[in-house]
Amino acid sequence: MLSQNTIEIVKSTAPVIAEAGPAMTAHFYERMFSHNPELKDIFNLTHQQSGRQREALFNAVHAYAANIDNLEALLPAVEKIAQKHTSFQITAAQYDIVGTHLLATIDELLSPGQAVIDAWAEAYGILASIFIDREEAIYQESEQQTGGWRGKRMFELVEKSRESDVITSFVFKPADGGAVMPFKPGQYLGIYLKPEGFEYQEIRQYSLSGAPANDRYRISVKREPEGKVSNYLHDHMQTGDRVELVPPAGDFYLQAQADTPVTLISAGVGLTPMLAMLESLTEQRASVNWFHAVENGSHHAFAEHVSQLCKQHEHFNSQVWYRIPDAADKAESRFDHEGLLDLNAVKDTISDPRMQFYFCGPLGFMQYIAGQLKALGVDDSRIHYECFGPHKAL
């Protein structure tokens, strides 16, 4: 337990640290990578360059300081971060490194005095222990499951399929011929790469894009123009190649009961966790809506697969929006709506007060969808979403 004196010091100095925000996080990362360059094999340097990881750290530190006397309020955020940390195989020793550089950054930039440094050290120690304990529990849960493991495990690419002009699927089986642990539809898989030409090991998380199977995992990856890993996977990864994977993780997953109506909403490659959910809802007794938005037919992945699923299961309802359909899209009636995804056009199908909403896509799209849902009177308890990369509240 934190002492009252520590709580008071941290809360009183939190506004000063908040004001130093971007400068503090920039100094922290530069200091840490200078002293511990081995961590460049763990942190996503693309997110470093974009500032997304730095912003996420600053938000986490500020939230902790603001709620230091009410740690219960932080538990959802702790779970989300802990799940992501296990995908990076974070260790207790690395928390010590982060703590050392965080405290040094506060001291070097703000010179607040030893009492403040000691209070933040105590507070950080408590927070680190919460994360370490939860992450160890997740590691053990993964290891103890049928087909489970701890750490990295070698897999072989057994199938590579082009789903659209920008999305390709990759199916992996364990190189040891064993089973794989089950996952919850919506969770992601961690992939570790350091092929020739990569300066650092690259770690990425990709949503599992199919219902659980006992001998394989499938991910579906969008080629990003500047995406180092996505371009490598699309251009160079071939069947028979091997790669290290860590167990599935993530706190965003389907939780609906068989008699609960569900609406799945996605844009672009955000359909990947939604597809895993859809394939897992075939035994569902209540209605299931599939709402997907995409640029046009050339970018539309899994179109035929979803269409067949909806034909086979009468409780499935599919509606597709093309933002800029081309002539062929129009001639072949490949879509239901033109323009941006508008829930008012389908509000009669989502009016059940028990309906649960799951959605994923670019941040702007998710903010747009969240706003529409709230305008339609959907409360937060029925809204569930996933951000690719550092989390953001909508």
Side-chain angles (χ1 to χ4, degrees):
M1 292 292 292
L2 292 170
S3 67
Q4 187 59 37
N5 183 57
T6 291
I7 290 173
E8 290 174 358
I9 290 176
V10 170
K11 286 185 76 72
S12 67
T13 54
V16 179
I17 289 176
E19 188 175 343
M24 187 184 79
T25 51
H27 185 89
F28 163 78
Y29 277 112
E30 288 166 7
R31 190 183 203 283
M32 183 174 69
F33 288 143
S34 174
H35 287 79
N36 297 92
E38 72 277 7
L39 294 182
K40 291 182 178 181
D41 276 335
I42 296 175
F43 284 82
N44 185 326
L45 297 184
T46 300
H47 288 162
Q48 287 294 312
Q49 294 164 0
S50 69
R52 295 173 68 191
Q53 186 64 55
R54 297 183 179 198
E55 181 186 0
L57 172 68
F58 169 69
N59 290 339
V61 170
H62 187 257
Y64 178 49
N67 292 279
I68 195 167
D69 52 354
N70 180 27
L71 295 182
E72 191 95 0
L74 295 175
L75 293 182
V78 166
E79 182 63 18
K80 185 174 293 293
I81 295 170
Q83 291 283 341
K84 183 62 69 72
H85 280 182
T86 63
S87 196
F88 286 100
Q89 296 292 291
I90 298 300
T91 66
Q94 289 162 346
Y95 276 99
D96 291 339
I97 294 172
V98 168
T100 295
H101 295 295
L102 179 62
L103 295 173
T105 295
I106 294 173
D107 190 27
E108 291 165 3
L109 288 189
L110 303 177
S111 301
Q114 194 58 46
V116 171
I117 296 299
D118 290 345
W120 275 90
E122 182 186 351
Y124 176 81
I126 294 294
L127 181 63
S129 67
I130 292 171
F131 276 109
I132 290 167
D133 290 348
R134 177 58 189 137
E135 288 158 20
E136 176 59 27
I138 296 170
Y139 290 137
Q140 291 185 19
E141 289 165 11
S142 296
E143 188 175 22
Q144 292 165 5
Q145 288 195 56
T146 300
W149 73 97
R150 181 174 183 141
K152 294 181 283 188
R153 183 179 178 189
M154 191 65 72
F155 279 70
E156 181 176 318
L157 179 65
V158 297
E159 185 179 334
K160 181 179 180 180
S161 307
R162 184 174 180 272
E163 309 293 357
S164 76
D165 284 0
V166 293
I167 295 175
T168 294
S169 289
F170 303 83
V171 178
F172 298 99
K173 284 188 172 183
D176 59 20
V180 299
M181 63 177 274
F183 64 92
K184 299 169 183 174
Q187 290 188 305
Y188 48 77
L189 190 67
I191 182 169
Y192 286 59
L193 290 166
K194 193 178 181 183
E196 185 177 350
F198 278 34
E199 184 178 1
Y200 302 106
Q201 172 180 260
E202 299 286 348
I203 306 171
R204 295 293 186 273
Q205 292 80 31
Y206 293 110
S207 297
L208 288 144
S209 60
N214 64 7
D215 68 337
R216 67 188 62 202
Y217 293 127
R218 185 180 74 187
I219 61 174
S220 301
V221 180
K222 179 186 176 185
R223 182 196 292 275
E224 300 291 350
E226 304 300 323
K228 187 170 188 176
V229 171
S230 68
N231 279 285
Y232 174 81
L233 291 172
H234 277 249
D235 295 337
H236 302 291
M237 195 80 181
Q238 301 298 331
T239 54
D241 289 349
R242 294 190 171 192
V243 65
E244 291 178 314
L245 304 178
V246 296
D251 70 327
F252 172 72
Y253 50 83
L254 185 67
Q255 301 180 64
Q257 301 299 314
D259 58 353
T260 301
V262 173
T263 291
L264 308 175
I265 307 172
S266 58
V269 76
L271 92 170
T272 51
M274 302 296 104
L275 187 58
M277 294 183 188
L278 185 70
E279 291 185 359
S280 300
L281 287 167
T282 56
E283 302 301 320
Q284 185 90 344
R285 295 191 297 273
S287 62
V288 176
N289 291 316
W290 171 270
F291 299 156
H292 182 57
V294 68
E295 285 294 289
N296 51 47
S298 66
H299 284 219
H300 190 180
F302 298 103
E304 183 60 28
H305 178 56
V306 170
S307 176
Q308 289 301 316
L309 281 175
C310 291
K311 288 177 182 177
Q312 294 166 13
H313 303 283
E314 60 182 19
H315 60 294
F316 282 9
N317 165 45
S318 171
Q319 296 288 311
V320 175
W321 281 256
Y322 280 7
R323 191 174 74 87
I324 310 176
D326 62 23
D329 296 331
K330 293 178 180 179
E332 298 178 22
S333 301
R334 295 173 179 169
F335 60 99
D336 303 291
H337 309 273
E338 185 172 348
L340 300 179
L341 197 157
D342 180 8
L343 293 178
N344 284 301
V346 290
K347 62 182 179 181
D348 290 345
T349 67
I350 59 175
S351 59
D352 191 320
R354 300 174 302 136
M355 184 163 282
Q356 297 291 315
F357 297 84
Y358 294 83
F359 56 99
C360 186
L363 179 60
F365 169 81
M366 293 198 295
Q367 291 170 330
Y368 172 64
I369 293 300
Q372 289 190 62
L373 289 173
K374 290 173 183 177
L376 290 169
V378 178
D379 60 84
D380 289 344
S381 66
R382 295 194 285 137
I383 295 175
H384 318 276
Y385 64 94
E386 174 81 317
C387 291
F388 292 154
H391 184 71
K392 277 184 175 286
L394 303 184

